[in-house]
Amino acid sequence: MGNKLEVLTIGGGPVAELMNATLKGKTAGWSVFDDKLEQLRLHGTHLVNGPKVRQGLTPPFYERVILGDGMNFNPENPLSGGFNVYPTSYGGPLSPNIELVDDPLIILAVKSPDNEKSLRQVAPLLARAEDPTILLAQNGFAPEVGITEWLTREGLDHVNVVRSVAMGPVTQKVDGNDKPYLDNNIFALKLGHWDAGEGHDELCRKVAGMFSYIPVEVPGDQFRKEGSEKALVNLINPITVLFANTIGQGLDSYLIRQFYKATAGEGIQCLLKQDVGIDPLHALDIAWLMYNSARPHMASMGNDPMGQYLSGGKLPFPLGTEVGDLSGQVVEWGKEYGVNTFWNSFLLEMISDFTDSYNEIKNQDPSKAVDFGMRFAHRNRWLVGFTEDETYNLSQYGSQLARLDRLFREQFPQDRSSPQSVYLCPHIVDESTELSNLPSLLVASYRALKEEYSERGLLDDSNFELSQEVCTQADACRNLERRACYDLRG
């Protein structure tokens, strides 16, 4: 056996690639699926840091290119101080050739539904390693707590856990020659742990020193506050799954903007109950600044269904999202601290049911799952007030979707038969009104869609019920400082 790995990355998305591209001088391994393996052989990896990222770096670290022929694809002989690629399958064992040094870093850059599966993959390596550290690169309020708890239950409590909070987006794009590159606008990675103990800051500084092409910070006692501010920004992500919207479309839509502020308001109330130190206006100002600089982009969670649709439903893994660690965490805290969390509960339950339904259909007929998912987005975009042309405009996320947009426009006119919503919360109108509110329209539309696919034998259960039928807290948003409701420029 040759050189052992100092760093091993699990995950196939842009964040995983970013983590690898920002390491330098480390014997690093990356476990990937076959499709990513071939892309790396052909194109390598190309990191381009955005202007705000460059403010924290010196010029040699503005950009990094590692050509495919500069990577090692021979699992039996790792390249010392270089980039090593190992093939794997979804949920399958890691390459038997992977061996780690003592004190290794394992980067988990996967969606939270795959946390346990990924942990079980690396558990044999963790059990053999001395003083290993997991770096969790994931959205959410405190997903690292669940990782630590799992390790303790499995007798792996010698494993350290560090969480990285990404301040900004990273997306994979293609240049004018159709070559992929990483457009990185994460202006800082902030390292810590929700339940950090003695010595954790020193551990975080050690991990931070391994990265060269991205600014890394260790906020110490401020980690809960700063991590929560980013998680509040990410509460736009579950909403993006519903409406397949760019950030700009969300800001420009009165209903989507109000929906976000309602979910963020519930999250802020839960954080205030825990004395995290959140300033409501400052938190929303951070959201506005990050959103306004990312108007053309779709929030990361919204890209999960898009990736499924672009592949024709043939990706080797099910659709999953991080809604449990975002809206789900707010709901959990709401129950603990007596905060009404109707809007986050709505998102948690509808998106969880949607992903389960999509995956059930996909197991029988991937193409029908794509139909189901795109129609879900089309119907919801119509309900939130998009014009017909805006409703059928998912082609902006990939030219392959243009044909499906045209087909669905002609084939399913009933997807535009519902009245469009004119308000969000039932408490702001007279109860006798005949106008339509968004939550009730979304639920009715989703039930009808499920019934249609159930009648075609593709879903066993067509039912969908909310645990909270309506928000019981009329002044939920106004419990914050009043001005917070009018931030986000609308």
Side-chain angles (χ1 to χ4, degrees), residues 4 36 46 68 149 152 157 181 244 292 302 321 329 363 377 408:
K4 295 182 179 181
K36 189 68 176 183
H46 182 190
E149 291 173 348
T152 300
D157 48 5
Y181 71 95
N292 205 37
T321 73
Q329 182 64 77
N363 288 337
F408 292 154

Side-chain angles (χ1 to χ4, degrees), residues 390-424:
E390 289 171 332
T391 293
Y392 295 99
N393 193 25
L394 300 189
S395 57
Q396 65 188 303
Y397 307 118
S399 58
Q400 302 96 310
L401 301 184
R403 181 188 63 82
L404 290 176
D405 278 337
R406 289 194 298 270
L407 177 65
F408 292 154
R409 186 193 299 253
E410 299 167 358
Q411 188 173 351
F412 302 109
Q414 68 269 32
D415 288 349
R416 304 185 308 280
S417 62
S418 295
Q420 292 184 311
S421 179
V422 294
Y423 67 95
L424 190 71

Side-chain angles (χ1 to χ4, degrees), residues 315-328:
L315 291 178
F317 46 85
L319 175 59
T321 73
E322 295 166 331
V323 67
D325 286 298
L326 288 165
S327 291

Side-chain angles (χ1 to χ4, degrees), residues 190-425:
K190 300 197 175 187
L191 305 186
H193 194 293
W194 187 268
D195 292 325
E198 185 177 351
H200 198 270
D201 284 359
E202 182 180 350
L203 172 66
C204 290
R205 284 190 286 272
K206 178 180 176 182
V207 173
M210 302 176 77
F211 297 90
S212 301
Y213 287 81
I214 192 169
V216 186
E217 302 173 5
V218 181
D221 292 342
Q222 294 300 302
F223 179 78
R224 278 193 179 191
K225 173 183 176 293
E226 295 183 17
S228 294
E229 288 173 343
K230 174 62 191 312
L232 289 169
V233 172
N234 286 136
L235 284 176
I236 197 72
N237 289 16
I239 296 172
T240 302
V241 176
L242 292 186
F243 305 114
N245 59 278
T246 64
I247 295 295
Q249 289 171 336
L251 291 179
D252 294 339
S253 163
Y254 171 78
L255 286 174
I256 295 178
R257 199 167 64 240
Q258 295 300 317
F259 203 149
Y260 167 72
K261 287 191 287 186
T263 60
E266 292 173 354
I268 290 171
Q269 288 182 71
C270 289
L271 293 166
L272 291 174
K273 291 279 188 179
Q274 300 174 75
D275 297 323
V276 172
I278 287 289
D279 179 298
L281 297 180
H282 179 64
L284 290 177
D285 277 345
I286 290 175
W288 164 254
L289 290 172
M290 294 185 71
Y291 292 159
N292 205 37
S293 65
R295 278 180 170 269
H297 302 290
M298 174 179 273
S300 59
M301 194 187 293
N303 283 311
D304 298 331
M306 290 300 127
Q308 293 275 341
Y309 308 157
L310 288 168
S311 75
K314 296 178 181 178
L315 291 178
F317 46 85
L319 175 59
T321 73
E322 295 166 331
V323 67
D325 286 298
L326 288 165
S327 291
Q329 182 64 77
V330 175
V331 171
E332 185 177 321
W333 281 335
K335 292 175 181 177
E336 183 176 355
Y337 298 108
V339 176
N340 181 276
T341 57
F342 168 79
W343 300 103
N344 282 282
S345 176
F346 180 96
L347 288 169
L348 175 66
E349 292 170 7
M350 177 163 279
I351 293 172
S352 298
D353 194 280
F354 165 69
T355 54
D356 288 346
S357 298
Y358 175 91
N359 291 327
E360 183 180 344
I361 298 170
K362 179 183 175 182
N363 288 337
Q364 301 176 71
D365 188 332
S367 66
K368 293 295 188 296
V370 172
D371 291 357
F372 175 82
M374 287 190 64
R375 290 184 64 198
F376 176 75
H378 287 153
R379 293 162 74 103
N380 294 345
R381 286 165 71 86
W382 174 256
L383 295 177
V384 84
F386 286 1
T387 66
E388 181 174 339
D389 286 340
E390 289 171 332
T391 293
Y392 295 99
N393 193 25
L394 300 189
S395 57
Q396 65 188 303
Y397 307 118
S399 58
Q400 302 96 310
L401 301 184
R403 181 188 63 82
L404 290 176
D405 278 337
R406 289 194 298 270
L407 177 65
F408 292 154
R409 186 193 299 253
E410 299 167 358
Q411 188 173 351
F412 302 109
Q414 68 269 32
D415 288 349
R416 304 185 308 280
S417 62
S418 295
Q420 292 184 311
S421 179
V422 294
Y423 67 95
L424 190 71
C425 180

Side-chain angles (χ1 to χ4, degrees), residues 163-186:
R163 163 94 182 287
S164 71
V165 175
M167 304 306 289
V170 58
T171 54
Q172 190 170 68
K173 297 183 177 180
V174 293
D175 62 19
N177 298 313
D178 291 330
K179 292 183 178 180
Y181 71 95
L182 283 177
D183 179 21
N184 178 40
N185 291 286
I186 297 175

Side-chain angles (χ1 to χ4, degrees), residues 124-177:
L125 293 170
L126 294 172
R128 295 195 299 269
E130 292 186 20
D131 202 27
T133 298
I134 287 177
L135 175 61
L136 183 64
Q138 201 167 79
N139 289 327
F141 281 93
E144 67 274 21
V145 173
I147 297 290
T148 298
E149 291 173 348
W150 187 92
L151 292 167
T152 300
R153 289 195 302 270
E154 297 296 316
L156 295 169
D157 48 5
H158 70 294
V159 180
N160 307 304
V161 178
V162 173
R163 163 94 182 287
S164 71
V165 175
M167 304 306 289
V170 58
T171 54
Q172 190 170 68
K173 297 183 177 180
V174 293
D175 62 19
N177 298 313

